[in-house]
Each structure stands twice: as C-alpha cells, then as structure tokens.
Amino acid sequence: MPTSSTTRFEILPSNQPTADSIRDNILANPGFGKHFSDHMVNIRWTVDADWHGHQVRPYGPLTLDPAASVLHYGQEIFEGIKAYRHADGSVWTFRPEKNAERFRRSARRLALPELSDEDFIGSIKALLAQDTTWVPTPSSDADECSLYLRPFMIASEAFLGVRPAHEVDYYVIASPAASYFKGGISPVSIWLSSHYKRAAPGGTGFAKCGGNYAASLAAQKEAEAHGCGQVAFLDAEESKWVEELGGMNLFFVFKDGRLVTPRLTDTILEGVTRNSVLTLAKDEGLTPEERPISIDEWREGAASGEITEVFACGTAAVITPVGELVTENERIRLNGDGGNDVAMRIRKKLLDVQYGRSEDKHGWLTRLV
Ligand code: COI
C-alpha cells in the first residue's frame, strides 16, 4: 500500500523536550536563527539505495566523519521557508512547491541527488506535526513572527576524492523567528561591493548553496565597517548591472507606477518572495518589469526622483525598504520622500495572505497542522 508523505517518517520523540516556560520565553523574543525546536528531520541517500530512512528525531549535533566531503568541497544546498500560525491556531506554509522546485534546481547544479516534492513537503509536515508548539502567535498584524524552516542537504560520504558524493543526508531544522533585521522594518543601508562579486555566468549564483553565502561574507564585513546592514552585488563581467543583495532580491519603484527588478539570469537567485511580489504588484495596479537595471540608472533615478523607492525582499527579510546605497565615494539617497508606501503596501498584502487575514486568491498556502 502506498505510504502518505508523512506516514513514511519514523518518529523518534525527544525525551528531553524544552520546558513550556522556556519555550514561551524564547517565542516572546526569538530574534533570528538563534533558537531551535525539539526535533529535526533526516532522510539519507546512497547511490545504491536512493532516498531512505525517513526520520523525525530529537534535534541535536550531527555525527559526521571528518572526511565528509561537504567539509572539504562544500557540496551543500539549502532552502528557507516559514510556517505561519493563523488566528484559529492552524499552521500554514507559503508556496512550498516553489522551494521544492528550487531545491531540485540547486541539487542539479551541485551534483546532489534530487528530492521529490512529496519528500520535501512531507518532511516539513512531519516536523511540524511534532513541533507545532514552536510556531509563534503574532501579536499584531505588523508582527512577522514565524517558525523559520531550514531544509538542507550535505555530501556526507567520507571520501577525499573530488567527485559527487555517493552518500548524502537531507535535514530540516526549525527556528522560531522575528524580524530578520535588528531594527525591524526601518530602512536598511546597503553597501555597494565594488571589488567582490557574488556570482559569475556559468557559476552557482542561481543555486541556493552555502558557497554563495560564504563568498559574500568578506563584502558583508566591508558593509558593516561602513555602517551598512547588507551588500549589493553587481554583475561580474561589466560591474554595471545590479544583481541582488547577499541573500535578498531588489525592487525599484518608479514614479510612473513601474516596479522593476533585475531579470533572472544564472547569477541571480529566483526568490519565492520576488516571484510573489511580481504577482501582488499587478494586483496593486503597478506594472512589473523584469529587466537589467544598471547602477547608473539607480543613481540617476534616485537623484531625479524617477525612482521613488527601493526595497529588498526574501523569505527571511520579507520586504524591507532600502534607505541608501553607500559606495567608497558617494551615498545614493532617494531624492524626495517616497515614504516607502509601495513597499509597505505590498508587504502588508503578502503578510495578510501568509497569516490568513485575507483571501488566498492565488492558492499559495498549504496547511501543515
Ligand atoms: C531566506 O530568505 O530564507 C534566506 O535563505 C536568506 C538568508 C540570508 C537568511
């Protein structure tokens, strides 16, 4: 008899779950990425046996051979997706099939095995069935608290030759989260990386792999040294075209109602939030445009008032206004007070769908619990 996506998971409950009072304290002020729920998912893959050994087991350190190839050659991919608690207590996630599809795309680029939608979504459902109490309850419509889920896949074979691993592990961990930025949704300053590049044509830029994020950290250090919270990267060939931030996509609001975001290439990550913003923008009467946008257009549009707002978006960051772009010798601020009205309107629309406060007319939600 076929097993359903969740019943194929063996459940090994934690015998030391977090006390209710400790969990309640964490949920009251979770920060981002600092606390973890009581369980995690593991599915193993071997070249001979395919995917097997589906488990939900207590959260805890991994036992990894020091020769595991992920530690040497970085064969790793991950996803970011959230679980939202609705007012009636039910728990939902947002467009998980998009994350599952991207996870497979990333796997192909990193020569890792592909995981089915059924296992990807089933693993999230199985984890949430154990750790439902870790999903925070929003205190207001502006509260973006959620349970942030981090599915990831690593090459766990102990082997130092350079080739795709024959043994791989998939995990999902869960972390209660508030706003990604410490300052909440106040406008963030962005550092323009002039030296470092995030991705090159033919490389891994479109894949969600740890290496892309590792490569962004030296630029992130520069950003922090200049008082900025994030880095913007330009294309590697001409240093002219705006690509994305270290972990977020960018949008530009024009005063004539156009909403422009860099066109997808193999150097840009296809964000699920990016894709949703393009749809919500149309519902808002804006005209979305996916096309190359140069740093000169940003500079000139900001100065002339053509560009009225810039915002960043991602699963973790939701939608965050960009206050200014800082370079070695200039600060590009928006000339005129856009007030971030468009960013805040789209943000509200998105959160209202995710938290079940408005109709899910695009069929984006999947019930977890
Ligand atoms: C996400 O938005 O989920 C990401 O993976 C980005 C990361 C910088 C937290």
Side-chain angles (χ1 to χ4, degrees):
M1 204 167 68
T3 47
S4 83
S5 62
T6 50
T7 53
R8 71 175 55 177
F9 284 84
E10 179 191 8
I11 310 295
L12 305 171
S14 168
N15 55 17
Q16 288 179 308
T18 308
D20 290 352
S21 59
I22 295 178
R23 191 186 56 242
D24 288 348
N25 272 338
I26 293 172
L27 296 189
N29 187 15
F32 184 87
K34 294 191 297 193
H35 303 281
F36 300 93
S37 69
D38 288 318
H39 296 89
M40 63 185 190
V41 163
N42 179 212
I43 314 179
R44 262 188 87 60
W45 178 90
T46 54
V47 79
D48 298 325
D50 207 346
W51 290 107
H52 60 278
H54 301 56
Q55 276 188 346
V56 178
R57 63 175 201 239
Y59 181 92
L62 306 180
T63 303
L64 213 53
D65 194 290
S69 49
V70 64
L71 301 176
H72 304 272
Y73 309 126
Q75 200 190 1
E76 184 268 358
I77 57 172
F78 68 95
E79 271 302 321
I81 182 168
K82 286 175 170 172
Y84 307 90
R85 191 178 289 285
H86 288 192
D88 64 359
S90 60
V91 176
W92 301 72
T93 194
F94 185 72
R95 309 189 76 183
E97 57 293 330
K98 295 285 283 178
N99 295 83
E101 183 195 330
R102 187 173 63 187
F103 200 52
R104 280 198 301 277
R105 220 179 305 140
S106 301
R108 285 195 291 277
R109 181 62 186 86
L110 273 287
L112 283 161
E114 294 181 38
L115 191 74
S116 66
D117 271 27
E118 194 185 10
D119 272 347
F120 184 89
I121 298 172
S123 67
I124 289 172
K125 286 187 174 161
L127 181 58
L128 262 292
Q130 287 307 299
D131 284 347
T132 317
T133 52
W134 282 91
V135 185
T137 302
S139 56
S140 71
D141 286 6
D143 187 351
E144 55 182 77
C145 66
S146 64
L147 186 63
Y148 182 79
L149 304 166
R150 175 53 64 88
F152 63 103
M153 194 192 290
I154 59 170
S156 45
E157 182 186 1
F159 180 62
L160 294 183
V162 182
R163 60 143 170 76
H166 291 176
E167 288 171 32
V168 166
D169 278 275
Y170 165 78
Y171 298 94
V172 189
I173 55 173
S175 176
S179 171
Y180 182 72
F181 291 106
K182 280 200 207 85
I185 49 163
S186 53
V188 58
S189 295
I190 306 282
W191 171 248
L192 181 69
S193 172
S194 53
H195 176 65
Y196 297 113
K197 297 292 183 260
R198 178 187 166 274
T204 57
F206 70 91
K208 205 160 174 68
C209 62
N212 291 341
Y213 295 77
S216 75
L217 296 178
Q220 180 69 27
K221 266 173 83 173
E222 264 186 13
E224 278 159 25
H226 289 85
C228 296
Q230 279 289 310
V231 193
F233 289 97
L234 298 178
D235 74 290
E237 286 174 302
E238 296 178 78
S239 266
K240 173 175 177 183
W241 305 104
V242 178
E243 297 214 311
E244 60 170 89
L245 305 185
M248 292 154 218
N249 296 118
L250 274 172
F251 277 89
F252 299 82
V253 182
F254 283 70
K255 77 167 182 228
D256 61 5
R258 281 173 298 142
L259 182 68
V260 178
T261 191
R263 162 178 72 84
L264 292 176
T265 63
D266 64 356
T267 56
I268 295 182
L269 187 87
E270 182 176 357
V272 178
T273 311
R274 174 190 179 280
N275 182 284
S276 310
V277 166
L278 287 169
T279 300
L280 293 175
K282 271 194 221 139
D283 298 351
E284 278 288 297
L286 297 159
T287 311
E289 270 182 19
E290 296 176 79
R291 62 163 170 87
I293 178 159
S294 70
I295 190 66
D296 291 339
E297 186 176 358
W298 187 343
R299 181 186 294 107
E300 285 154 22
S304 69
E306 270 303 291
I307 297 177
T308 53
E309 295 177 40
V310 182
F311 63 85
C313 70
T315 298
V318 193
I319 288 177
T320 303
V322 172
E324 59 176 355
L325 182 72
V326 182
T327 75
E328 287 290 356
N329 38 38
E330 62 184 331
R331 300 183 98 85
I332 303 178
R333 290 210 178 95
L334 296 174
N335 191 15
D337 184 12
N340 296 307
D341 287 352
V342 172
M344 298 314 279
R345 250 173 31 226
I346 296 180
R347 181 176 187 281
K348 178 171 179 342
K349 272 203 140 168
L350 181 66
L351 291 176
D352 281 351
V353 175
Q354 291 172 332
Y355 287 93
R357 294 187 291 256
S358 67
E359 188 200 346
D360 175 22
K361 62 180 182 190
H362 301 290
W364 283 343
L365 296 184
T366 293
R367 184 159 183 177
L368 296 174
V369 183

